[in-house]
Amino acid sequence: RAKREGGEPGEMAADTRVLVVGLNPALQRTLVLASALTVGGVHRATTVDTRAGGKGQGVASAIAALEPESPPVCVQLLGRDPSRAGERVEEALREAGVEVLTGWYEGVTRTCVTVASDPGLTTELIEPSAPVPQLAVDELFERTARALPSHAAVVLAGTAPPGAESFYPRLLGHLIAASSSRAREAPLVVLDCARGVGALLATGCIDVLKINKDELLTLAGVDAGTDEDFAVDAAARRILGKVAGSGVGGLGERRRNAHARAGALPAYDGSDGGVLAVTDGAAPAVLFTMVADGSLRKWRFAVPAVKAVNAIGAGDVCTGVFAFKLASAGWSARASAETGAVGLCDAFSWGLAAASARCTSLRPDELSVAHVFRLRTHVYASAVSTPPDPPEQRP
């Protein structure tokens, strides 16, 4: 692969499929203890590991591990200071096969710590993010906007640091303006974030929202009560009304257009609205779409049973693989013609298999491709009927 002369990492041939916007990176340190963690005690670590951390960085690393021939580009803001934490984050991503689009500023890149004690028991210590100068944000936005046309999908991963809160809304606004000219197809937009996303959902640009069960209930303002399944369904109805892709053109519409140009049948058999993917740790995951009459289509996924060593970052891995599989199967007409359609449920199944494989390794950036393929055969999807939404529960 060769970049265009004088171009950015994202300004290249369409083989780079996914642009991951992870504005809040960290230098991630993992400390392994020989005994159980005791609050107030003194502990000596037996092993210390340092890597690139942050939600978007985890998403991008997962794609690079599973699909090294289609490396993602990770958009990030990093501070320069004597500790070289920012430089170490970028170096680690490059070593993992991720291409980077970094906005540098004079400041501190946060360091976060994972403490692993009993197998499967981890404690996460997260530093606050330092404010980012507006000039650095604006410069990175312009570079990101130029890189967008080369990508089939954009993943907005995690919250923005102080000073960069406007980045996501501006990027979605840019997509709306670019697609309104119909000069080119808009990319698939995946959001993996649950804090402060109301304005993003209101744009109608989000095709896929991927969050966990607790985040869904909080975002929708629904109490789990005594019937958790009913609560999740009610929350999904509220949120899917906003995750419809109406601002740019829904996932189903864009997919049909791409396949029509390729002379192929549509690969997506869901609704014209958005997709809501909900994980719940080792418990079954669920996937929702909403059809034109407002009713839900729902699938439940059995997650493989694994011996979890460290589950930190498993959700990011799921998002990355899910987004890549969706983009390569449905958004890219060329990929669909060459490799055949991969359905919505199949794409999510791959994400869940990868997340399960991730949990079996202590290092969050380790992902065994062979293990992912083995676990994929143990992910089962089944269609589930949902009861009508009672009038008093409708938003």
Side-chain angles (χ1 to χ4, degrees), residues 80 85 235 294 313 341:
R80 277 199 176 99

Side-chain angles (χ1 to χ4, degrees), residues 96-161:
V98 176
E99 297 185 0
V100 294
L101 190 59
T102 302
W104 290 99
Y105 62 94
E106 296 301 319
V108 178
T109 296
R110 64 181 180 150
T111 298
C112 298
V113 178
T114 299
V115 181
S117 49
D118 295 336
L121 179 61
T122 54
T123 302
E124 188 77 358
L125 306 176
I126 302 176
E127 279 191 10
S129 302
V132 181
Q134 189 61 50
L135 179 61
V137 176
D138 292 342
E139 289 179 346
L140 183 61
F141 174 80
E142 294 301 326
R143 296 165 64 197
T144 304
R146 291 195 298 269
L148 279 175
S150 300
H151 297 83
V154 177
V155 179
L156 308 180
T159 56

Side-chain angles (χ1 to χ4, degrees), residues 93-344:
L93 287 173
R94 291 186 186 279
E95 290 175 2
V98 176
E99 297 185 0
V100 294
L101 190 59
T102 302
W104 290 99
Y105 62 94
E106 296 301 319
V108 178
T109 296
R110 64 181 180 150
T111 298
C112 298
V113 178
T114 299
V115 181
S117 49
D118 295 336
L121 179 61
T122 54
T123 302
E124 188 77 358
L125 306 176
I126 302 176
E127 279 191 10
S129 302
V132 181
Q134 189 61 50
L135 179 61
V137 176
D138 292 342
E139 289 179 346
L140 183 61
F141 174 80
E142 294 301 326
R143 296 165 64 197
T144 304
R146 291 195 298 269
L148 279 175
S150 300
H151 297 83
V154 177
V155 179
L156 308 180
T159 56
E165 295 89 348
S166 65
F167 198 98
Y168 287 173
R170 289 172 65 188
L171 196 61
L172 295 180
H174 178 82
L175 283 173
I176 293 174
S179 65
S180 63
S181 67
R182 298 300 180 188
R184 58 177 178 265
E185 292 287 344
L188 174 73
V189 180
V190 179
L191 176 64
D192 185 350
C193 181
R195 292 174 54 193
V197 300
L200 302 181
L201 298 179
T203 65
C205 294
I206 306 301
D207 295 305
V208 180
L209 175 63
K210 185 267 175 189
I211 51 180
N212 65 43
K213 181 195 69 179
D214 293 336
E215 291 170 335
L216 171 64
L217 295 176
T218 300
L219 184 61
V222 174
D223 189 346
T226 57
D227 190 340
E228 197 168 81
D229 284 346
F230 180 84
V232 169
D233 291 350
R237 286 188 177 88
R238 291 190 181 186
I239 299 304
L240 269 177
K242 303 174 183 178
V243 189
S246 58
V248 174
L251 170 64
E253 176 188 352
R254 284 190 256 166
R255 189 168 305 235
R256 285 197 301 272
N257 291 342
H259 281 267
R261 288 194 301 275
L265 294 175
Y268 179 63
D269 60 358
S271 71
D272 288 345
V275 175
L276 174 63
V278 184
T279 57
D280 188 17
V286 287
L287 190 67
F288 295 94
T289 63
M290 182 177 285
V291 295
D293 63 1
S295 60
L296 290 181
R297 298 188 67 187
K298 176 181 178 182
W299 295 265
R300 179 176 286 115
F301 296 75
V303 178
V306 297
K307 183 178 180 180
V309 176
N310 180 6
I312 300 296
D316 308 336
V317 170
C318 179
T319 298
V321 175
F322 181 31
F324 179 84
K325 291 294 185 180
L326 274 180
S328 62
W331 172 235
S332 170
R334 183 185 66 176
S336 297
E338 292 176 356
T339 64
V342 178
L344 177 64

Side-chain angles (χ1 to χ4, degrees), residues 278 282-287 298-305 344-354 356 372-384:
V278 184
V286 287
L287 190 67
K298 176 181 178 182
W299 295 265
R300 179 176 286 115
F301 296 75
V303 178
L344 177 64
C345 289
D346 188 50
F348 193 37
S349 295
W350 277 108
L352 294 170
S356 298
V372 173
F373 273 76
R374 287 195 298 270
L375 290 177
R376 173 61 187 89
T377 63
H378 298 284
V379 181
Y380 303 99
S382 57
V384 182

